[in-house]
């Protein structure tokens, strides 16, 4: 069986390594083959960008050579796909080369789309690319107080990011001695301070305790860059001196161009993870249209389930497991405290009060991630 | 005259980002005048969604529960 994985991010990499271990014998005797196509020779640990934006990690800590993360039997090429010919069971990549498959896995991820809100790209600081995270850090260093507005687009990668950046900014300003000259104003698209009800129940009194003001049912419509005001779809305004945004995301352009899914999200079966209408095309991570968090842990747990199923299809001709919607997210609650949320399609999360121990575990995970990507954790 | 095309957003079992977030994302990418039907297993959505829809100025077309799933229909007006 020829298994072709498109995308060398967290989902694609964990899947490839997990599969290579399960199919060691089949890869040796030629019964299976794993090929990965990626747009980059480097692998980025994207959750680290939050820390880069606050000067707590350096950009070079976020990267590893992609080849070094992969099991040696995996055939890896830096050759981004341009055309998906699903009826012919092949893709054509930028090099002009065609790659055939028996099973295709699409894990191309997502990208920020600040252009969807007029003025946002020009006015706001954000931390979803290395360049923007560094720019944000330099802007924070120069900030001497004023009104800081956090504004959130939908959908966005890492649902905990709006809360994390808010709590971490609070501690950052406190450490710099400018908290008394700074008002942090948090806005959120729905009618409470976080989409997870139990997280909102914890976060709202924390905001009250820390003097962080908040406004719910606030969706960015446009930014008056000169007047420094965010106008919302709901008809309210948020004036700012410093605007920190979680921009809305889209799937990758190649997905939209090939007509695989609106806005780059591919319709995906929530348990089997196959593309709707295609038995031999699977989707992982941010690329799915599933109503669950766009987060690395989602890609990780989906990859675990899919690896088990693809290996079983090679060995016994049938899948063996359903993905249950499992997600696990750390939540940084400041510079030195954190909690976590774990949930699936059936069970909502119930986060505990933040502790230093969970923060240090998250800090350790920032390093342990590389073992996770290699499929060892 | 043909039946109106309705886009279904199946947010059953969604805790995060949750049904209203799924609806907001879908409406952002939808043509004005289009109808979206949100499926939610979260009973809170039956109250939250109409509040947001009215605040933003879209049109609530209906909300009904069938076998533990709320079917909430919204027309995008702006």
């Amino acid at each position: 069986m020829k298994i072709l994985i498109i995308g060398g991010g967290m989902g694609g990499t964990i899947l490839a390594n997990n599969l290579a271990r399960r199919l060691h014998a089949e890869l040796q005797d030629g019964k299976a083959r794993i090929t990965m196509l990626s747009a980059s020779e480097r692998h980025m640990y994207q959750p680290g960008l939050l820390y880069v934006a606050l000067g707590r990690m350096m950009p070079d800590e976020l990267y590893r050579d992609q080849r070094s993360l992969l099991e040696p039997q995996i055939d890896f090429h830096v050759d981004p796909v341009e055309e998906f010919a699903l009826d012919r069971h092949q893709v054509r990549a930028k090099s002009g080369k065609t790659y055939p498959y028996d099973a295709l896995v699409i894990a191309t991820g997502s990208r920020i789309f600040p252009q969807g809100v007029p003025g946002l790209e020009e006015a706001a600081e954000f931390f979803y690319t290395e360049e923007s995270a560094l720019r944000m850090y330099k802007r924070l260093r120069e900030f001497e107080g004023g009104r800081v507005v956090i504004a959130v687009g939908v959908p966005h990668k890492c649902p905990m990011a709006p809360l994390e950046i808010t709590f971490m900014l609070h501690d950052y300003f406190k450490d710099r001695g400018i908290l008394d000259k700074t008002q942090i104003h948090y806005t959120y698209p729905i009618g409470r301070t976080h989409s997870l009800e139990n997280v909102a129940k914890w976060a709202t009194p924390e905001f009250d305790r820390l003097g962080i003001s908040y406004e719910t049912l606030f969706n960015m419509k446009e930014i008056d860059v000169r007047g420094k005001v965010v106008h919302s779809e709901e008809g309210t305004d948020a004036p700012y001196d410093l605007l920190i945004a979680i921009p809305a995301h889209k799937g990758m352009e190649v997905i939209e161009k090939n007509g695989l899914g609106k806005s780059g999200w591919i319709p995906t079966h929530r348990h089997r993870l196959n593309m709707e209408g295609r038995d031999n095309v699977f989707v992982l991570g941010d690329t799915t249209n599933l109503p669950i968090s766009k987060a690395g842990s989602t890609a990780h747990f989906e990859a675990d389930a899919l690896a088990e199923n693809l290996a079983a299809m090679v060995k016994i001709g049938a899948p063996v497991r359903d993905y249950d919607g499992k997600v696990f997210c750390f939540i940084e609650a400041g510079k030195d405290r954190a909690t976590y949320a774990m949930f699936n399609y059936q069970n909502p999360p119930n986060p505990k009060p933040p502790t230093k121990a969970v923060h240090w575990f998250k800090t350790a995970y920032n390093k342990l991630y590389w073992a996770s990507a290699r499929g060892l954790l | 005259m043909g039946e109106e095309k309705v886009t279904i957003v199946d947010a059953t079992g969604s805790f995060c980002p949750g049904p209203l977030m799924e609806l907001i994302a879908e409406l952002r990418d939808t043509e004005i005048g289009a109808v979206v039907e949100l499926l939610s297993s979260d009973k809170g959505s039956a109250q939250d969604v109409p509040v947001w829809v009215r605040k933003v100025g879209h049109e609530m077309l209906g909300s009904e529960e069938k076998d533990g799933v709320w079917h909430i229909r919204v027309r995008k007006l702006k």
Side-chain angles (χ1 to χ4, degrees), chain A residues 86-111:
Chain A
L86 302 185
D87 289 335
R88 298 199 300 276
H89 298 186
Q90 63 185 39
V91 303
R92 185 181 51 75
K94 191 176 179 183
S95 66
K97 198 173 165 191
T98 295
Y99 296 84
Y101 63 82
D102 298 306
L104 175 70
V105 181
I106 305 175
T108 42
S110 63
R111 63 196 159 111

Side-chain angles (χ1 to χ4, degrees), chain A residues 31-109:
Chain A
K31 284 185 185 158
R33 180 177 178 145
I34 303 169
T35 302
M36 173 184 279
L37 305 181
S38 177
S40 172
E41 63 189 8
R42 292 197 304 169
H43 184 113
M44 179 197 252
Y45 174 57
Q46 295 178 46
L49 288 166
L50 174 70
Y51 302 88
V52 171
L54 290 155
R56 293 173 58 185
M57 280 180 91
M58 291 292 109
D60 59 4
E61 294 176 75
L62 308 185
Y63 294 100
R64 293 287 186 277
D65 175 61
Q66 175 66 14
R67 174 75 263 178
S68 74
L69 297 174
L70 296 173
E71 289 288 319
Q73 304 102 312
I74 297 164
D75 181 28
F76 173 66
H77 303 272
V78 178
D79 200 2
V81 169
E82 293 189 339
E83 183 190 351
F84 289 86
L86 302 185
D87 289 335
R88 298 199 300 276
H89 298 186
Q90 63 185 39
V91 303
R92 185 181 51 75
K94 191 176 179 183
S95 66
K97 198 173 165 191
T98 295
Y99 296 84
Y101 63 82
D102 298 306
L104 175 70
V105 181
I106 305 175
T108 42

Side-chain angles (χ1 to χ4, degrees), chain A residues 218-232:
Chain A
F218 188 99
N219 286 274
M220 286 181 280
K221 181 181 179 189
E222 60 186 335
I223 315 297
D224 173 356
V225 180
R226 189 169 291 181
K228 292 192 165 188
V229 179
V230 186
H231 299 295
S232 79

